[in-house]
Amino acid sequence: VPFLEQIEIYDLNIPKAKALADEFKDNDIPVTAVEDLAESVKTSDIIITMTTAQKAFMQKDWMKSNATIVQMGPCDFGTDTVEGADKLFVDNWYQVSKSKLSPVHALHEAGKLNQEDMTELRFVAADMAKGRDNDDQQVMYVSLGLGAMDIMIAHQVYKNAKAMGLGTIVNLWDAPKYV
C-alpha cells in the first residue's frame, strides 16, 4: 500500500504486541503496539484482524465510514459490520457461507445475505469485478483462507528449494504403515 504511513498492532497480551512491533523497528514504516484497540481502530483507514476468536469483538461503531475491513479469522466482526459495509468480498462464497462462526453464515441462514450480495476476490483479481467504487465506501473482505492455496504455495516452495539444493530430507518413519 503506497500511502501507508504507520502500522498499529494490538494483542490481548500487550508485551507480545510490543515484542512484535520491535521486530519491525528498522522498517521504513513505523510499527507500534497499541493498548486501546477501539481508539486505534477509530482512526484507522485499514483494519485487518487475524485471530482465533470464537465470537465477534470488533464493534461496528469503531469503524470509519470509508474504512477497508479485512477479517482473516472466523468471526472477529459481527453481522452488523457485514450488513453495514457498502461492498462485500470473500475468498470463497461456499466456504464462508458454511462456516458456522462466520457472520456471513449467520446472515445467509437468516435470509439476509446471498451469493449475489458479495463478490469473490478472484473476480476482482481477474478484472471481472470492481473493488472500491469511490473513496467514501466502506468495503469489507471476509476470508477464511483456502486450503488448496496453502498446498499450492507449499508445493512451489518445495520445488524451488529442491531446484536450489536447499532443505533437509527427514524420514518420518522407517516403513510406511498404510501403503
Side-chain angles (χ1 to χ4, degrees), residues 105-149:
H105 170 78
L107 290 169
H108 181 60
E109 288 292 305
K112 295 180 177 181
L113 190 66
N114 294 304
Q115 186 170 6
E116 298 78 31
D117 301 319
M118 301 189 107
T119 302
E120 288 188 5
L121 200 57
R122 64 188 172 111
F123 293 114
V124 177
D127 207 22
M128 297 168 61
K130 194 170 181 181
R132 183 186 297 273
D133 292 314
N134 62 63
D135 291 342
D136 296 325
Q137 286 183 312
Q138 186 180 81
V139 297
M140 183 171 192
Y141 171 57
V142 179
S143 172
L144 290 180
L146 298 174
M149 182 73 75

Side-chain angles (χ1 to χ4, degrees), residues 18-124:
K18 289 179 179 178
L20 180 59
D22 285 344
E23 290 184 32
F24 296 96
K25 66 181 174 222
D26 296 326
N27 201 3
D28 290 340
I29 301 168
V31 178
T32 56
V34 297
E35 296 188 20
D36 188 329
L37 177 62
E39 287 307 309
S40 175
V41 169
K42 287 176 182 178
T43 60
S44 296
D45 295 318
I46 302 170
I47 300 118
I48 302 171
T49 61
M50 187 171 290
T51 75
T52 56
Q54 299 296 299
K55 64 180 183 175
F57 63 92
M58 299 291 284
Q59 303 297 313
K60 179 183 176 188
D61 63 344
W62 295 352
M63 315 300 152
K64 291 168 81 173
S65 62
N66 63 342
T68 297
I69 304 164
V70 180
Q71 176 179 286
M72 302 293 287
C75 63
D76 302 336
F77 296 89
T79 55
D80 59 340
T81 304
V82 175
E83 287 181 299
D86 297 306
K87 290 191 89 168
L88 300 168
F89 301 90
V90 294
D91 48 11
N92 179 282
W93 164 255
Y94 181 80
Q95 181 178 331
V96 172
S97 68
K98 299 298 181 195
S99 174
K100 297 206 184 293
L101 292 176
S102 171
V104 172
H105 170 78
L107 290 169
H108 181 60
E109 288 292 305
K112 295 180 177 181
L113 190 66
N114 294 304
Q115 186 170 6
E116 298 78 31
D117 301 319
M118 301 189 107
T119 302
E120 288 188 5
L121 200 57
R122 64 188 172 111
F123 293 114
V124 177

